[in-house]
Amino acid sequence: MAERTPSFDLSGYTIPTHVAIIMDGNGRWARQRGLPRQAGHRAGAENLRRIINACVEFRIKILTIYAFSTENWGRPELEVRGLMKIISRVIDQELKDLHAQGVCLHHLGSMTGIDPGLQEKVRRALELTKNNDRLILNVAFNYGGRAEILEAVKHILADNVAPEELTEALFSSYLFTRGLPDPDLVIRTSGELRISNFLIWQAAYSEFYPTPVYWPDFGREELYEAILVFNQRERRFGLVTEP
Ligand code: FPP
């Protein structure tokens, strides 16, 4: 008999609108099993499918994932090529289902340096899914928070925005996440306690949830647990709650 998936009741809980994840620990997950790093990245990519399904189930509206940072180019060439191959394969294999599921893909980052064939694949994926509204999936790919801020500043200068016109809201509209609310919850797997150049403007007031679990093992149950912990947090945004 097929095993039943336990249902997680989140009624009465606040569901974070926007969850962002630093998917860390693929390499250590593989090493623990005596496998090559690429096997860890493959397991990480498979896990993404589980987490997307869980986000839809839990009615999270926006998921942002850190797939490849501007710093990741410094990894061994073989690993970089392997990661690009996985990303390309995931688009080939998952795009149809993601579209059917109502997932709208966004790209955060730059296309500079990306293989033209993969650039084209990404563009087609964004175009195909642009009107979907069940879950926005922001893929931070060739992304760096500092590079994003620099790009924004360059565009603001090019647009001749006067200093007195420049507000936080206007600045945000020059970022890759324009039009989207900031993340409520930032999850980092594998026990590291760094932000690593991820959404450094947008995560100013996000709740941070570090977990020792390696990314390939961070499943639906772990996401549910993160939402429960999020509900115990008191978000003050720099204010006080006492009268
Ligand atoms: C960090 O683990 C993970 C990455 C740099 C890559 C994340 C990529 C995937 C999960 C592949 C799939 C992505 C998409 C969008 C299809 P690490 O290698 O730094 O692990 P370690 O710290 O244990 O070495």
Side-chain angles (χ1 to χ4, degrees):
M1 208 166 72
E3 214 177 288
R4 279 199 61 211
T5 320
S7 69
F8 293 132
D9 188 6
L10 282 168
S11 47
Y13 286 95
T14 301
I15 304 300
T17 303
H18 184 173
V19 174
I21 308 183
I22 302 176
M23 311 182 287
D24 199 6
N26 294 346
R28 279 162 285 169
W29 181 93
R31 195 173 56 210
Q32 240 180 16
R33 289 161 177 76
L35 297 169
R37 292 180 60 82
Q38 181 71 353
H41 293 314
R42 273 199 302 271
E46 280 162 27
N47 190 45
L48 199 46
R49 165 40 77 201
R50 282 192 283 277
I51 289 301
I52 291 168
N53 290 345
C55 285
V56 169
E57 177 189 350
F58 297 156
R59 297 183 196 287
I60 290 165
K61 295 309 291 178
I62 307 167
L63 171 66
T64 301
I65 50 164
Y66 208 2
F68 190 88
S69 76
T70 43
E71 289 71 35
N72 286 155
W73 290 109
R75 292 192 175 202
E77 201 194 325
L78 196 67
E79 178 163 350
V80 171
R81 256 194 282 136
L83 278 167
M84 295 295 164
K85 211 186 266 178
I86 289 177
I87 291 168
S88 174
R89 194 169 337 122
V90 166
I91 299 177
D92 290 341
Q93 293 175 352
E94 299 289 338
L95 183 60
K96 210 166 136 220
D97 284 355
L98 289 171
H99 183 43
Q101 207 176 4
V103 174
C104 170
L105 287 163
H106 285 196
H107 172 222
L108 315 184
S110 157
M111 285 293 195
T112 308
I114 305 295
D115 168 77
L118 181 51
Q119 287 190 32
E120 185 49 32
K121 238 180 232 188
V122 171
R123 271 194 283 274
R124 271 190 277 121
L126 303 183
E127 179 59 29
L128 176 73
T129 62
K130 69 178 182 196
N131 295 321
N132 294 338
D133 63 0
R134 199 140 176 226
L135 174 73
I136 292 175
L137 176 60
N138 292 319
V139 182
F141 171 54
N142 198 15
Y143 171 88
R146 288 182 174 181
E148 176 181 38
I149 289 172
L150 263 189
E151 270 309 295
V153 172
K154 286 180 190 170
H155 283 113
I156 288 167
L157 292 174
D159 285 350
N160 289 317
V161 175
E164 60 277 14
E165 279 177 60
L166 188 55
T167 59
E168 290 187 6
L170 185 64
F171 189 84
S172 296
S173 74
Y174 279 86
L175 298 174
F176 295 122
T177 47
R178 66 189 68 89
L180 299 176
D182 289 338
D184 302 291
L185 178 62
V186 174
I187 296 170
R188 182 166 190 155
T189 58
S190 91
E192 307 293 344
L193 300 172
R194 287 183 295 281
I195 201 75
S196 296
N197 206 13
F198 183 50
L199 304 176
I200 51 179
W201 171 277
Q202 299 91 332
Y205 279 103
S206 305
E207 291 298 322
F208 193 61
Y209 180 81
T211 165
V213 176
Y214 293 151
W215 169 249
D217 291 331
F218 184 90
R220 174 175 173 263
E221 196 166 342
E222 285 72 22
L223 181 61
Y224 174 74
E225 181 61 31
I227 296 172
L228 297 191
V229 170
F230 173 75
N231 273 262
Q232 291 160 7
R233 303 278 177 89
E234 187 195 5
R235 302 189 75 191
R236 291 195 297 272
F237 300 95
L239 307 175
V240 287
T241 43
E242 279 152 39

